[in-house]
């Protein structure tokens, strides 16, 4: 039972263009959604988050959008840079258990 | 601020052997998590501590896995005996306090890559 799904295993984007990474969820009890970035041989690093009561959060080149009715969130990176090439994980926190559920990740490749 | 420390970084063992991983969370962080990440999948929570008490261990295979967090600081995760399917990266993470609504950010260590042959 996958409560958090990232249906695109990989994505390639030209440098300077927009990268859009998608995430779907099924549990209405999630109160926070987070995006993590992971480079090889390193642990995931926190990138940006959004509360379930918001629909948008922006931090520099990174914006996360939340559509609660569709149970969908997306991460936009504009403009994309080669250093953004990494695996991106979507995660959600259950408000009852404080447990984090992760998606399977999307590998982003930004082409110079 | 020092990050989450984990050791060893890599470990290769034969099946049926035992292994232990160590984690030192960020100073002052009350909540500590152990995750298992199998290749191609997202991290899966094994156990979550709040100080030195267990909050959730529902996905910990208790017949072979054990974890402790003595004194509410460092933690160890042990596997005994190991199976081939335990090959994965074991990640430790910490956050300040799950009881504080704003402390939802987790900070991860570099992980321990375990290979069971």
């Amino acid at each position: 039972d996958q409560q958090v799904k990232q249906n695109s295993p990989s994505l390639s984007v030209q440098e300077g263009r927009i990268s859009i990474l998608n995430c779907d969820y099924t549990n209405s009890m999630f109160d926070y959604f987070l995006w993590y970035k992971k480079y090889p041989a390193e642990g995931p690093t926190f990138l940006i988050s959004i509360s379930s009561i918001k629909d948008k959060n922006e931090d520099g080149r990174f914006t996360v959008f939340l559509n609660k009715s569709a149970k969908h969130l997306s991460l936009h990176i504009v403009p994309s840079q080669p250093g953004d090439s990494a695996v991106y994980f979507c995660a959600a926190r259950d408000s009852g258990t404080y447990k984090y559920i992760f998606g399977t990740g999307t590998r982003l490749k930004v082409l110079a | 601020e020092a990050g989450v420390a984990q050791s060893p970084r890599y470990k290769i063992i034969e099946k049926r052997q035992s292994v232990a991983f160590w984690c030192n969370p960020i100073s002052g962080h009350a909540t500590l998590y152990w995750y298992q990440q199998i290749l191609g999948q997202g991290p899966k929570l094994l156990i979550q501590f709040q100080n030195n008490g267990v909050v959730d261990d529902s996905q910990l295979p208790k017949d072979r896995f054990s974890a402790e967090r003595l004194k509410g600081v460092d933690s160890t995760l042990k596997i005994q005996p190991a199976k081939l399917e335990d090959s994965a990266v074991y990640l430790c993470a910490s956050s300040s306090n799950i009881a504080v609504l704003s402390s939802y950010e987790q900070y991860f260590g570099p992980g321990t890559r375990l290979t069971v042959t």
Side-chain angles (χ1 to χ4, degrees), chain A residues 32 34 36 38 41-44 46 49 89 93 97-100 102-104, chain B residues 9 33 35 37 42-43 45 48 56 58-59 98 101 104-106 108-110:
Chain A
Y32 277 100
L34 305 92
Y36 286 85
K38 186 181 182 306
E42 293 182 15
F46 171 76
S49 66
F89 290 100
R93 190 181 82 163
T97 63
Y98 297 116
K99 198 167 157 177
Y100 292 79
F102 283 77
T104 51
Chain B
R9 291 296 309 275
Y33 312 79
Y35 289 89
Q37 185 178 11
L45 180 69
Q48 177 178 331
D56 188 306
S58 57
Q59 298 193 90
I98 58 171
L101 289 178
Y104 49 82
E105 285 182 37
Q106 291 181 297
F108 283 84

Side-chain angles (χ1 to χ4, degrees), chain A residues 21 35-47 83-90 102 104-108, chain B residues 9 37-43 89-91 108-113:
Chain A
L21 295 93
W35 285 94
Y36 286 85
K37 179 177 176 177
K38 186 181 182 306
Y39 292 119
E42 293 182 15
T45 53
F46 171 76
L47 194 57
D84 296 329
S85 297
V87 177
Y88 289 79
F89 290 100
C90 169
F102 283 77
T104 51
T106 296
R107 183 178 299 279
L108 173 67
Chain B
R9 291 296 309 275
Q37 185 178 11
I38 291 171
L39 189 64
Q41 299 181 19
V89 175
Y90 291 84
L91 294 162
F108 283 84
T112 297
R113 181 176 296 278

Side-chain angles (χ1 to χ4, degrees), chain A residues 35 50 55-57 63-67 72-76:
Chain A
W35 285 94
I50 188 166
D55 54 21
K56 179 182 173 181
N57 187 26
T63 304
V64 57
F65 295 93
L66 176 63
N67 182 334
H72 176 84
L73 65 153
S74 60
L75 173 68
H76 292 211

